[in-house]
Amino acid sequence: AALVDLTDGLVEQLEADELVEWVTAHAAIAEILGQERPGESEAHARQVVQASVSGQVPQEVEIRGRSSLAARLSERGSTAEALQVLQVARSLDPTNSALRDQTAVAIQREEERQSQDIKGMLQRLKQNLGRDLNASDLPGLRATLTELEGMPLTWEAVQETAIGKEIGRCAKLEDAQIASQAR
């Protein structure tokens, strides 16, 4: 079996010193593979994180594994999961500046991802508003405006999608409920 293929049952049978060597090897391999072979790097880093549940993994090795895992997750767009992994690592060593920097980058990527998601949703809602305004579909307008009300909007996203024009048209409608929602 490959180093990464050991099951939880086999890992649990390792003596404390064997477990330390095993996770140290996984952490080192995850770092070496890094961006060259991200899938394999992530698998090795996950082994370190999984084994750390035993409480027998040295703190610095767990941090290395978590840092590698977070880097791979962030690279493939799973920034929310990367932030969870980093949160545990930072709780182990709150003074670690590399972890602090890595967390800052992951937060920035997550905010960018969320911003893009919001812009995509706003673009879809803008199209729905335009369609419903042209068809005088009042129930459709109410539903779209209700969906819009629950969104965490940023000025940048609203400005970039230019959804304000459709909302302004809704605010001028004679239907009091729609006009009120739009305002």
Side-chain angles (χ1 to χ4, degrees), residues 108-121:
Q108 184 177 10
R109 285 183 178 170
E110 178 63 9
E111 288 172 351
E112 288 169 2
R113 186 195 61 76
Q114 288 176 352
S115 175
Q116 290 303 318
D117 289 351
I118 289 171
K119 289 175 189 173
M121 290 171 54

Side-chain angles (χ1 to χ4, degrees), residues 63 66-67 84-94 99:
I63 290 170
R66 286 185 177 280
S67 178
Q84 290 173 341
V85 170
L86 286 168
Q87 182 179 16
V88 175
R90 291 199 55 202
S91 72
L92 295 170
D93 185 0
L99 286 176

Side-chain angles (χ1 to χ4, degrees), residues 8-9 11 39 45 49 56 63 75 89 94 111 123 139 145 157 170 181:
D8 287 342
V11 172
V49 171
Q56 299 179 12
I63 290 170
E75 288 165 3
E111 288 172 351
Q123 201 62 27
L145 288 170
C170 290
Q181 272 186 292

Side-chain angles (χ1 to χ4, degrees), residues 27 30-43 45-46 49 62-87 89 98-99 101-103 105-107 109:
E31 290 171 341
I32 291 168
L33 293 175
Q35 293 176 330
E36 296 293 319
R37 295 166 69 183
E40 291 176 48
S41 173
E42 181 179 331
R46 281 193 187 280
V49 171
E62 181 176 353
I63 290 170
R64 287 173 53 204
R66 286 185 177 280
S67 178
S68 292
L69 178 57
R72 301 298 79 78
L73 290 169
S74 189
E75 288 165 3
R76 68 176 170 86
S78 298
T79 50
E81 186 181 355
L83 285 168
Q84 290 173 341
V85 170
L86 286 168
Q87 182 179 16
L99 286 176
D101 293 347
Q102 190 177 8
T103 301
V105 170
I107 288 170
R109 285 183 178 170

